[in-house]
Amino acid sequence: MKIKPITYTLCCFLLMGFSCKNEMKVSSEPLIEQKIEALLKQMTLDEKIGQMSQIRHFEENADVHVSEKFIGSVIHTQGSTPGKSARDWQKRFVELQKKALSTRLGIPLLFGVDAVHGQNTFEGATIFPHNIGLGAANNEILVEEIAKITALESQATGFNWVFSPCVAIPYNEKWGRVYEAFSESTEITEKLTRASIKGYQGNLADATTVMATAKHFIGDGATDFGVEGGETSLSVSEIYQYLLPPYKVAVQENVGAVMASFNSINGISMHNHKALIIDTLKIGMKFNGIVVSDWKAYSRFNGIEVVNAGIDIIMAVDGDLEDFQEGLKKAVEEKKVSIGRIDDAVRRILRQKFKLGLFENPFPDATLVSKIGIKKHREIARQAVRESLVLLKNDNHVLPISKKTKKIVVVGEHANSAGFQSGGWTINWQGTSENYKGATTILEGIKKQSKGEVVYDKNATENHFDADLAIIVVGEIPYAEFFGDIGHESNQLQLTLTDEHQKYIKTYAEKGIKTVVVLISGRPLIVTEQINSSDAFVAAWLPGSEGDGIAEVLFGDYNFKGKLPHSWPKDMKDYEKNYGPNFWDKTIKPLFEFGFGLEY
Ligand code: BGC
């Protein structure tokens, strides 16, 4: 049923038991509120619009824009552009911060980064399993610790804001961002969202914590057929029941920011969805932080209407800045956007800057650099890898592997690639196929554990048929948003293994060699046949930099703990409808139920 905006809002309030008379909640710190008002009074319209603008740090004229266009925040999404070392990164951001502090009112910048599984844009940082693995581990103490470390390593590279956690609830495995979310379960997502925000934000004014972002509001993982930025046709009550609870938790935890989503809901783009952003999130749920747009929202989603819908910071990147600033100024002068709306946005931005203590301590702490990727952090990441592994099959107790096994053949390029095992949002936006600094591979871990001979057969062409055991590591190549959707024009991705990878398993299984398959993937895949033909089958998700954690479980130093955070599909037919098999749609029987997972 399609619902028009006004009815929609009313429904929302009725459902949540809120009254429209609810006042917007302000910060609990009265002093901060006084400071905000005092500063706001002095600001010109240009300065206010500047605060609402976000740019990239390496854009042409970035420095001039900070000085002359009063930019409020800077974004970093991938790669090593700020420089070679963490010191270079800090230096670049200190430079920009100084520019901001030299403007008339000296309002400090926010520096935001896509740190979604560790500070994954920096080579040498600790890179944790993607959220889907943390959903399998389902350990909130661990998630809080991971977020703390990510915050520290982000601060060490110059950032005070992360665009994380993704609190999506994916209903269709064809979506290329399934791995960024914890689970198809609302309950697990709520629990881990709370832990994650606690870990990131701690006491926000500390030098080792960062502002967090719950994203993408709302319906990102529930689009029909799993299309990134597509249409979500769930009813209002379904959205409230299944998708909104993690945001409620985030608001309770005082999350600093919420990012709007690319998708639309019942025909209305989320970036234009006043009913959900202003009426539900800001008024109804009393969210007093920042609503940040997604990439290039101004040119993508009806210009100034994004501001009227309640968005406070606009990612005005890749050529959008001037149009946004001029367009918004004109709209205010023509009364198409109220000054009240602009002031609301600026108050929210200033509130977080005061909470972060940026007016007193605007620069990153140089002493944190030595903490990037340290052993203590990597040990937590390895624990996360171990706890995220889900054992789907273990016939004849092939696992745990005896360390004395005479000869083991390790097969598949995924066994020997830190890039492949880490997925998208690793060093680069769409991930990397390279090994990167500080990481260990799965093969290295196996070699550390085994007391026998270990040979590596990258493409199953070397016929090591005298081996006692084959460990076959197969899976998906890295991808991120858009490019990871099954069926996207840019790729040939399938919801199953490639013929090549199927062959790796066959080659050894057909020779009667015991086979342990380790699947590296950002989502459950349809591998029914391969599960049948192997002796043991492990879903390892995207473990990140500590690939050696996998062998610690395969060889029995630790038992399996992970449980499926998604129902596991059996057949492509499971995807004929909007969603795959999940507990939301009970009409499709999965191969393995949500929550399944064996131990030795
Ligand atoms: C993604 C966000 C990300 C942002 C900034 C967008 O395209 O949807 O998740 O935080 O880019 O890189």
Side-chain angles (χ1 to χ4, degrees):
M1 180 176 61
K2 297 226 191 261
I3 302 172
K4 296 209 177 91
I6 292 184
T7 336
Y8 191 95
T9 313
L10 284 175
C11 290
C12 297
F13 287 132
L14 289 176
L15 274 160
M16 294 189 77
F18 286 127
S19 117
C20 291
K21 286 184 193 141
N22 264 325
E23 295 281 298
M24 279 201 208
K25 192 187 165 194
V26 291
S27 156
S28 48
E29 292 103 328
L31 203 62
I32 287 188
E33 296 308 315
Q34 283 170 23
K35 286 181 186 168
I36 295 170
E37 294 311 316
L39 193 48
L40 192 66
K41 266 196 203 126
Q42 302 174 56
M43 292 175 77
T44 62
L45 181 57
D46 285 345
E47 284 165 336
K48 290 176 182 176
I49 292 174
Q51 283 303 304
M52 296 171 71
S53 313
Q54 182 167 90
I55 62 166
R56 298 174 103 167
H57 55 88
F58 57 85
E59 264 170 33
E60 216 189 326
N61 297 327
D63 298 66
V64 179
H65 289 158
V66 170
S67 299
E68 294 174 9
K69 294 181 184 272
F70 313 108
I71 299 302
S73 58
V74 167
I75 178 171
H76 180 69
T77 60
Q78 62 168 341
S80 58
T81 37
K84 275 203 181 113
S85 68
R87 273 183 213 291
D88 293 342
W89 288 42
Q90 284 205 5
K91 200 169 138 228
R92 172 66 184 134
F93 299 140
V94 165
E95 218 172 75
L96 282 172
Q97 191 66 296
K98 283 187 178 158
K99 291 252 148 61
L101 297 176
S102 320
T103 56
R104 191 178 74 94
L105 295 171
I107 302 174
L109 286 162
L110 290 165
F111 292 92
V113 61
D114 278 303
V116 302
H117 63 143
Q119 208 307 45
N120 44 253
T121 69
F122 184 76
E123 199 163 334
T126 314
I127 301 194
F128 296 92
H130 266 296
N131 282 348
I132 193 167
L134 302 183
N138 195 11
N139 176 344
E140 68 266 44
I141 298 168
L142 186 61
V143 167
E144 188 175 336
E145 196 56 34
I146 287 171
K148 254 191 213 162
I149 295 170
T150 304
L152 190 152
E153 295 199 7
S154 296
Q155 278 282 1
T157 44
F159 300 97
N160 45 36
W161 181 9
V162 293
F163 301 127
S164 170
C166 174
V167 304
I169 303 193
Y171 286 148
N172 193 321
E173 280 70 24
K174 287 183 176 177
W175 189 40
R177 311 189 74 165
V178 169
Y179 64 84
E180 290 185 56
F182 295 114
S183 171
E184 72 185 24
S185 147
T186 302
E187 218 183 315
I188 291 182
T189 309
E190 276 179 279
K191 183 169 100 177
L192 300 185
T193 296
R194 186 186 304 283
S196 174
I197 292 168
K198 270 195 176 141
Y200 283 134
Q201 298 199 155
N203 171 16
L204 253 193
D206 288 349
T208 56
T209 58
V210 292
M211 176 167 88
T213 310
K215 70 185 190 184
H216 310 79
F217 188 76
I218 191 170
D220 48 356
T223 59
D224 301 343
F225 308 104
V227 174
E228 167 70 353
E231 163 76 10
T232 296
S233 54
L234 290 178
S235 71
V236 177
S237 62
E238 285 162 344
I239 288 171
Y240 271 74
Q241 189 178 348
Y242 297 113
L243 308 185
L244 201 65
Y247 288 97
K248 284 196 199 162
V249 166
V251 173
Q252 278 163 15
E253 289 302 325
N254 292 314
V255 70
V258 167
M259 189 184 291
S261 187
F262 284 141
N263 63 282
S264 47
I265 291 201
N266 295 309
I268 304 170
S269 154
M270 268 314 300
H271 277 78
N272 298 147
H273 215 306
K274 185 173 172 293
L276 277 169
I277 297 177
I278 296 189
D279 302 341
T280 299
L281 178 67
K282 290 187 171 177
I283 301 177
M285 289 164 64
K286 304 184 180 175
F287 171 60
N288 72 7
I290 299 164
V291 177
V292 59
S293 85
D294 207 334
W295 202 251
K296 274 175 87 65
Y298 184 80
S299 50
R300 255 177 167 151
F301 299 110
N302 293 325
I304 51 131
E305 291 315 321
V306 298
V307 177
N308 278 332
I311 291 175
D312 306 311
I313 290 184
I314 314 297
M315 284 186 195
V317 287
D318 292 350
D320 265 13
L321 181 65
E322 249 160 62
D323 287 351
F324 164 63
Q325 292 202 328
E326 279 167 20
L328 185 54
K329 191 168 180 190
K330 190 158 167 266
V332 174
E333 284 160 1
E334 289 172 358
K335 302 206 169 1
K336 289 183 180 148
V337 174
S338 74
I339 192 70
R341 177 69 273 280
I342 301 291
D343 285 350
D344 170 58
V346 178
R347 279 192 183 97
R348 289 166 181 274
I349 298 161
L350 295 179
R351 184 172 297 127
Q352 295 306 318
K353 291 186 175 184
F354 279 116
K355 281 185 161 190
L356 278 157
L358 289 183
F359 288 86
E360 298 80 37
N361 295 306
F363 303 116
D365 177 352
T367 66
L368 295 179
V369 168
S370 63
K371 304 246 164 80
I372 299 173
I374 56 174
K375 193 160 168 259
K376 194 171 134 206
H377 294 176
R378 293 188 186 278
E379 271 163 14
I380 297 290
R382 234 179 32 247
Q383 179 190 348
V385 172
R386 292 192 300 261
E387 293 192 17
S388 68
L389 304 178
V390 182
L391 181 60
L392 296 178
K393 178 181 181 184
N394 189 20
D395 272 8
N396 309 316
H397 300 289
V398 64
L399 292 176
I401 302 165
S402 160
K403 295 190 185 186
K404 291 185 195 141
T405 307
K406 268 207 193 117
K407 181 168 179 178
I408 296 175
V409 56
V410 180
V411 185
E413 59 276 22
H414 280 66
N416 198 24
S417 166
F420 280 177
Q421 82 203 15
S422 302
W425 299 105
T426 307
I427 315 301
N428 300 316
W429 174 42
Q430 296 287 327
T432 173
S433 54
E434 310 286 314
N435 282 325
Y436 57 88
K437 202 168 136 196
T440 55
T441 65
I442 300 167
L443 178 62
E444 282 167 335
I446 294 169
K447 284 185 173 163
K448 271 188 222 164
Q449 286 282 330
S450 166
K451 300 211 185 323
E453 186 189 359
V454 175
V455 290
Y456 178 48
D457 183 3
K458 186 174 173 190
N459 303 118
T461 48
E462 291 182 17
N463 302 341
H464 290 284
F465 299 142
D466 58 339
D468 303 291
L469 180 80
I471 303 177
I472 302 170
V473 189
V474 286
E476 294 185 302
I477 53 166
Y479 53 76
E481 46 180 336
F482 300 104
F483 299 96
D485 288 357
I486 305 285
H488 191 269
E489 63 204 16
S490 68
N491 69 42
Q492 325 243 297
L493 293 175
Q494 303 165 28
L495 212 48
T496 183
L497 293 175
T498 59
D499 290 350
E500 233 348 64
H501 281 194
Q502 296 188 21
K503 201 192 82 198
Y504 295 176
I505 302 171
K506 251 195 210 149
T507 304
Y508 282 92
E510 278 179 2
K511 293 285 168 192
I513 295 167
K514 281 189 200 153
T515 49
V516 175
V517 176
V518 177
L519 180 69
I520 298 294
S521 67
R523 48 190 154 201
L525 295 183
I526 295 155
V527 282
T528 312
E529 228 177 88
Q530 291 72 40
I531 292 176
N532 287 338
S533 63
S534 55
D535 295 286
F537 203 98
V538 178
W541 317 111
L542 299 168
S545 59
E546 308 314 297
D548 56 355
I550 292 180
E552 295 173 351
V553 182
L554 295 183
F555 285 83
D557 284 359
Y558 298 84
N559 205 337
F560 283 91
K561 261 191 158 175
K563 304 286 172 217
L564 285 181
H566 286 260
S567 321
W568 195 281
K570 59 180 173 326
D571 203 304
M572 211 44 220
K573 283 204 199 91
D574 295 350
Y575 291 87
E576 279 168 357
K577 294 202 276 178
N578 291 8
Y579 303 134
N582 47 58
F583 81 136
W584 188 85
D585 181 350
K586 300 226 175 351
T587 60
I588 310 169
K589 183 110 188 74
L591 183 66
F592 298 108
E593 301 278 348
F594 161 85
F596 180 84
L598 303 169
E599 295 182 5
Y600 293 142

